[in-house]
Amino acid sequence: MHDRDLAYNKIQKMKQDENIKAKARKKERDRKIKTVFLCALVILLWAGIVYGGFYYGSMHLQEMEERFVSQIDGLILENEQIEARIAGAMQAVQNELELSNQEMMQIQSELNLIQEELALTGETITGTDQTRLSLQERMAELDNQLASLRTQLKRLEDAVRAF
């Protein structure tokens, strides 16, 4: 009986060893499954973060692009308005320049006429110096007006060049 007990104990010990080995294998397998699961979870988490970052970056870039497009459109509209104002100012300056030229031509023709009259009067009139003085005063006034118009014309030309 002792041999039987010994054999029985051996069998029991072998069963325990097998149970222990089975439990160890199961623990090892569970540990590997957990490791694989955690690796897969980390990879999925990493992929989610990368996708989220890409998506956020893409959305941010789209918003910035829309803002830039609206700002560029605003600037284009503002530039067109400025261009229209400049063109209007240029036209007004051009018109004023033409009027000044016409006035200058008229004054020049009046001066020429007075000079002719003076030449004729100097030959035909033996009268007083008062007539000559008044004509010379008128010529001086017209000369002053002509000089003033020339300076205005120069300013207008400079303004046109500045634009």
Side-chain angles (χ1 to χ4, degrees):
M1 213 167 135
H2 191 9
D3 281 336
R4 231 193 300 157
D5 283 337
L6 215 48
Y8 179 72
N9 283 341
K10 254 187 183 182
I11 292 173
Q12 285 297 340
K13 190 157 176 118
M14 285 171 107
K15 282 184 180 179
Q16 282 178 350
D17 286 344
E18 281 182 29
N19 282 341
I20 290 173
K21 285 181 183 178
K23 284 182 183 179
R25 277 184 292 201
K26 186 175 180 186
K27 281 184 182 179
E28 183 68 27
R29 188 180 70 220
D30 288 345
R31 190 178 58 81
K32 286 181 181 179
I33 289 174
K34 283 181 184 178
T35 303
V36 168
F37 179 73
L38 285 175
C39 286
L41 186 62
V42 167
I43 290 172
L44 285 175
L45 182 63
W46 180 80
I49 290 172
V50 167
Y51 178 74
F54 176 75
Y55 181 75
Y56 174 75
S58 172
M59 294 300 290
H60 185 68
L61 286 175
Q62 281 181 336
E63 289 173 6
M64 285 178 59
E65 181 182 2
E66 290 171 4
R67 270 189 266 149
F68 284 142
V69 165
S70 67
Q71 287 177 350
I72 288 172
D73 289 343
L75 288 174
I76 288 172
L77 181 62
E78 186 177 342
N79 284 345
E80 288 173 353
Q81 291 171 349
I82 290 171
E83 184 181 343
R85 286 194 307 244
I86 287 173
M90 292 284 286
Q91 186 61 41
V93 167
Q94 184 69 29
N95 292 342
E96 198 172 324
L97 187 62
E98 288 176 11
L99 287 174
S100 294
N101 279 338
Q102 288 174 357
E103 282 182 41
M104 206 159 49
M105 297 289 249
Q106 183 181 4
I107 290 172
Q108 186 69 39
S109 67
E110 284 182 32
L111 271 175
N112 290 338
L113 185 65
I114 289 174
Q115 284 175 348
E116 286 177 16
E117 286 178 5
L118 269 178
L120 291 175
T121 349
E123 293 172 6
T124 58
I125 296 180
T126 57
T128 65
D129 286 336
Q130 187 177 10
T131 308
R132 280 190 182 163
L133 287 175
S134 68
L135 286 173
Q136 285 178 347
E137 285 176 12
R138 179 68 181 145
M139 278 182 52
E141 287 176 16
L142 289 174
D143 279 336
N144 288 339
Q145 273 187 329
L146 183 61
S148 171
L149 283 173
R150 283 186 179 152
T151 57
Q152 287 178 357
L153 181 63
K154 177 137 177 78
R155 286 182 193 157
L156 286 173
E157 286 175 349
D158 291 342
V160 168
R161 285 189 199 113
F163 279 113

